[in-house]
Amino acid sequence: MVEALGVAVVGFGWMGRVHTQAYARVRHHYPHLALRPELVTVAEEVPGRAEEAAAQFGFASTTRDWREVAADPRVHAVSITAPNFLHREIAVAMAGAGKHIWVEKPVGLSTDDARAVADAVTEAGVQGAVGFNYRNAPAVEAARDLIAAGELGRVTHVRIRLFSDYAAHPEGALTWRYERERGGSGVLGDLASHGADLARFLLGDIASLTADTAVFLPERARPAAATAGHARAAGGELGPVENEDYVNCLLRFASGARGVLEACRVSVGEQNNYGFEVHGTRGAVFWDFRRMNELGVSRGTQYQDQPVCTVYVGPGDGEFAAFQPGAANAMGYDDLKVVEAHRFLRSIAEGTPYGATPADAVHSAAVLDAMARSAERGTWVSPETSG
């Protein structure tokens, strides 16, 4: 028998919409899932936005105060897609109220924030998931399997890139994302957090690193009203950008492998140019998010002039079979969130974590904090995950 599970969404910007759509679709792709998510309530402080969400997606109720969600006995699981500075407070409160939580990355503003959420989940005995969606791509999971099986030999080095132009326009509004108090870091938390998670997911722990950061657009216009996404605010009062547009980082892995992680939010001409190149003593594997369902694979014993083949992922890779019947049928970004929703709900049903957890967020946040310390000091530093 399928059990109904009351879910809520806190924060209904673009990511809140993506989570809601994932809940709506998850049983279409995973019909044997033991839980059926029911949209109980949506919390959003921007006037009218929650009501629009309820009208479109069928939430039973709305509120402008997330604390009402924590007190609502109908709610058993909560998606937290509010701005970064609210992650810790909301997540700790929801876990303390016995709610399972699915939190968007980077889970707060620091390692301490992520650790507080992870500790709250453990102490409350609830399940926690984190929105590191790129690790859910079947091609990424296939690449991890290749690496783990030794198909590339001993991994020697990796390059991870996350380039985007979402903040490249000089008229981009000075939203919370550019403020230290509410956004914390800039491109570190927004994009490099994914890179840190992918690095560890593919190659294991990072032992030490050295980083450099920069702000390329030091001022932006303050918005006149509430914004969603990456709105523009031409003519508004200018204010300072308080966090970084760019980071470049050298990595040393515990395995002895070396790496480069580079991320930028103001890269003109780059739209979601995310990916990695992993090289080993016998081969290599390449992934580009813009061609999400393909891998470039080089393996064998030829070494020099060894060719690279394009491999299309198929039903045997990751969660591909839940979406498409055969290789080279495309999956998209929103599908990765459906995978995430399934793993979150399966964790609740079985009482065992599946997918990225708050513990993974602690590791990613520790790498981000280490990058910030390194950029400030100009030295190599080690991520600190214990507390």
Side-chain angles (χ1 to χ4, degrees), residues 147 155-160 195-210 249-261 276-279 367 371 380-381 383:
I147 294 165
V155 172
T156 54
H157 60 283
V158 60
R159 184 167 74 98
I160 299 172
D197 182 67
L198 284 173
R200 181 167 171 266
F201 183 71
L202 293 169
L203 301 181
D205 288 338
I206 295 168
S208 61
L209 59 84
T210 185
C249 183
L250 299 179
L251 308 169
R252 291 174 178 165
F253 291 85
S255 67
R258 298 298 195 261
V260 176
L261 192 162
F276 56 76
E277 304 152 17
V278 181
H279 294 265
V367 171
M371 288 182 189
W380 284 85
V381 300

Side-chain angles (χ1 to χ4, degrees), residues 10 14 112 119 130 180 209 244 280 312 314 348:
V10 176
W14 170 68
D112 286 344
D119 289 346
V130 175
R180 283 286 178 192
L209 59 84
E244 73 290 334
Y312 298 104
I348 296 170

Side-chain angles (χ1 to χ4, degrees), residues 11 57 126 140 146 154 172 209 259 268 292 299 331 337 368:
F57 293 102
V126 297
V140 173
L146 283 173
R154 175 176 55 82
L209 59 84
V268 175
M292 191 179 86
R299 53 185 167 177
M331 288 176 61
K337 286 299 186 186
L368 303 185

Side-chain angles (χ1 to χ4, degrees), residues 294-307:
E294 301 177 15
L295 281 178
V297 179
S298 177
R299 53 185 167 177
T301 57
Q302 189 171 333
Y303 301 102
Q304 186 178 6
D305 298 329
Q306 183 164 285

Side-chain angles (χ1 to χ4, degrees), residues 34-284:
L35 297 174
R36 182 181 71 255
E38 292 187 350
L39 300 177
V40 172
T41 190
V42 54
E44 171 56 64
E45 66 178 14
V46 176
R49 191 178 287 175
E51 289 73 18
E52 292 176 5
Q56 181 175 1
F57 293 102
F59 286 96
S61 61
T62 66
T63 180
R64 291 182 65 181
D65 187 352
W66 62 262
R67 294 168 185 81
E68 293 183 5
V69 177
D72 193 334
R74 301 172 300 166
V75 175
H76 303 102
V78 182
S79 279
I80 301 168
T81 57
N84 299 352
F85 70 99
L86 294 172
H87 288 178
R88 176 175 180 169
E89 182 183 8
I90 297 174
V92 169
M94 294 299 176
K99 319 292 188 189
H100 307 285
I101 57 173
W102 177 10
V103 194
E104 266 310 309
K105 58 81 202 168
V107 188
L109 306 181
S110 65
T111 308
D112 286 344
D113 284 355
R115 186 181 296 112
V117 173
D119 289 346
V121 165
T122 300
E123 291 168 8
V126 297
Q127 295 298 317
V130 175
F132 289 127
N133 40 265
Y134 298 110
R135 63 155 63 189
N136 299 328
V140 173
E141 295 193 286
R144 188 192 195 203
D145 290 343
L146 283 173
I147 294 165
E151 293 290 328
L152 310 185
R154 175 176 55 82
V155 172
T156 54
H157 60 283
V158 60
R159 184 167 74 98
I160 299 172
R161 69 187 185 281
L162 298 111
F163 297 145
S164 182
D165 64 356
Y166 69 78
H169 202 291
E171 293 180 358
L174 187 69
T175 65
W176 62 268
R177 294 181 181 276
Y178 304 98
E179 300 175 4
R180 283 286 178 192
E181 184 176 353
R182 296 193 296 166
S185 60
V187 77
L188 286 177
D190 196 30
L191 295 181
S193 58
H194 282 300
D197 182 67
L198 284 173
R200 181 167 171 266
F201 183 71
L202 293 169
L203 301 181
D205 288 338
I206 295 168
S208 61
L209 59 84
T210 185
D212 183 35
T213 62
V215 178
F216 296 136
L217 295 176
E219 290 186 320
R220 295 180 181 273
R222 301 184 188 280
T227 61
H230 305 288
R232 296 182 188 174
E237 178 189 358
L238 293 178
V241 172
E242 299 174 349
N243 50 33
E244 73 290 334
D245 291 326
Y246 171 84
V247 62
N248 184 31
C249 183
L250 299 179
L251 308 169
R252 291 174 178 165
F253 291 85
S255 67
R258 298 298 195 261
V260 176
L261 192 162
E262 190 177 14
C264 186
R265 63 188 181 187
V266 297
S267 297
V268 175
E270 301 281 14
Q271 296 87 41
N272 298 327
N273 182 357
Y274 310 151
F276 56 76
E277 304 152 17
V278 181
H279 294 265
T281 53
R282 291 202 309 271

